[in-house]
């Protein structure tokens, strides 16, 4: 079993540069060439995961995604153009009119304000509670609750939730648990190991570590969840730029 340092440096080795570069190059291109018409048809039909268009997939971004998946003990990673892009992909994919979300009361300000000011306009119901108190989470659950969204530790109050207990509670009610793990990162906490379904990061912060990039990501525990989220990222155009992906990978 490789340690986190080895994983961060070497990644998974699945996506490699065809010319043998030790560091994955920046594939700064919008579109990829097909071998022939049949290959193009197979790509668009979803019969292969070869590269088509950078909003959909890109080698530089994919290698970063694979490394983040490995670090988090996840199934799949979706990189996004910012941390808030990651938040909104999750919200867009899982919330709809008449659905209810439970959110920690002191999450990152824009995460709270987008729920309060925007999603409620489309009929989404929101309850803000102190998720460091599991009883408060339990009392907030409704028949139409589909998502529990929290940060642990939270930004900026550093309140800590009991992730195993909240995960158990969520599973009892068939509710998705999403944890923003930006504050600690995969070196100090692995929410998927505690039962979370989704982990999100602002890669802008400690994972990049150089204050020169804006990026985010979503890491899922299952392929089924990834299939709900990746198409939403593509549709909304919230993809990560290859140059930014390169800088985040360097930060790791």
């Amino acid at each position: 079993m490789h340690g986190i340092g080895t994983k961060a440096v070497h990644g998974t080795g699945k996506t490699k540069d065809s010319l043998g570069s030790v560091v994955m190059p920046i594939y700064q291109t919008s579109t990829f060439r097909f071998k022939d018409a049949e290959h193009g048809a197979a790509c668009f039909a979803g019969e292969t995961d070869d590269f088509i268009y950078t909003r959909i997939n890109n080698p530089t971004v994919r290698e970063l995604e694979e490394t983040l998946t490995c670090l988090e003990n996840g199934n799949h990673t979706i990189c996004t153009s910012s941390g808030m892009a990651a938040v909104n992909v999750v919200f867009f994919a899982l919330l709809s009119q008449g659905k209810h979300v439970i959110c920690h009361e002191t999450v990152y300000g824009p995460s709270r304000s987008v729920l309060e000011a925007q999603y409620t306009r489309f009929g989404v119901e929101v309850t803000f509670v102190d998720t460091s108190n599991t009883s408060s989470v339990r009392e907030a659950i409704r028949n139409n609750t589909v998502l529990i969204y929290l940060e642990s530790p939270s930004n900026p109050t550093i309140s800590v939730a009991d992730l195993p207990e909240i995960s158990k509670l969520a599973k009892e009610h068939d509710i998705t648990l999403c944890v923003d793990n930006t504050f600690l990162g995969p070196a100090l906490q692995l929410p998927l190991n505690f039962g979370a379904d989704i982990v999100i990061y602002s890669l802008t912060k400690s994972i990049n570590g150089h204050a020169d990039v804006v990026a985010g990501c979503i890491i899922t525990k299952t392929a089924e969840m990834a299939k709900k989220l990746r198409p939403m990222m593509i549709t909304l155009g919230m993809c990560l730029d290859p140059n930014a992906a390169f800088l985040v990978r360097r930060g790791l």
Side-chain angles (χ1 to χ4, degrees), residues 149-205:
Y149 177 83
L150 59 87
E151 299 169 1
S152 184
S154 63
N155 180 7
T157 59
I158 321 297
S159 64
V160 177
D162 187 335
L163 295 182
E165 282 302 307
I166 293 178
S167 171
K168 180 181 177 182
L169 182 63
K171 285 176 172 54
E172 288 174 358
H173 295 271
D174 195 26
I175 299 170
T176 298
L177 174 60
C178 178
V179 178
D180 183 336
N181 197 43
T182 298
F183 233 94
L184 289 185
L188 298 175
Q189 178 172 265
L190 297 171
L192 297 182
N193 286 3
F194 293 130
D197 302 292
I198 304 168
V199 175
I200 66 170
Y201 285 103
S202 170
L203 297 175
T204 309
K205 311 301 191 301

Side-chain angles (χ1 to χ4, degrees), residues 66-198:
E66 290 170 350
T67 301
L68 292 168
T69 301
C70 178
L71 289 173
E72 199 70 31
N73 293 339
N75 175 271
H76 187 83
T77 296
I78 303 158
C79 280
T80 60
S81 53
S82 69
M84 281 306 299
V87 170
N88 278 289
V89 166
V90 172
F91 288 170
F92 261 101
L94 301 182
L95 302 176
S96 59
Q97 184 176 15
K99 301 299 183 183
H100 176 241
V101 53
I102 298 169
C103 181
H104 181 60
E105 60 187 4
T106 59
V107 290
Y108 179 58
S111 298
R112 174 164 180 152
S113 63
V114 76
L115 280 173
E116 286 183 309
Q118 304 303 329
Y119 287 89
T120 53
R121 294 192 300 127
F122 304 109
V124 174
E125 301 171 16
V126 186
T127 301
F128 295 99
V129 301
D130 178 7
T131 55
S132 67
N133 183 341
T134 305
S135 296
S136 296
V137 178
R138 182 179 294 106
E139 291 167 4
I141 292 175
R142 305 175 186 172
N143 291 333
N144 60 339
T145 304
V146 295
L147 176 65
I148 298 172
Y149 177 83
L150 59 87
E151 299 169 1
S152 184
S154 63
N155 180 7
T157 59
I158 321 297
S159 64
V160 177
D162 187 335
L163 295 182
E165 282 302 307
I166 293 178
S167 171
K168 180 181 177 182
L169 182 63
K171 285 176 172 54
E172 288 174 358
H173 295 271
D174 195 26
I175 299 170
T176 298
L177 174 60
C178 178
V179 178
D180 183 336
N181 197 43
T182 298
F183 233 94
L184 289 185
L188 298 175
Q189 178 172 265
L190 297 171
L192 297 182
N193 286 3
F194 293 130
D197 302 292
I198 304 168

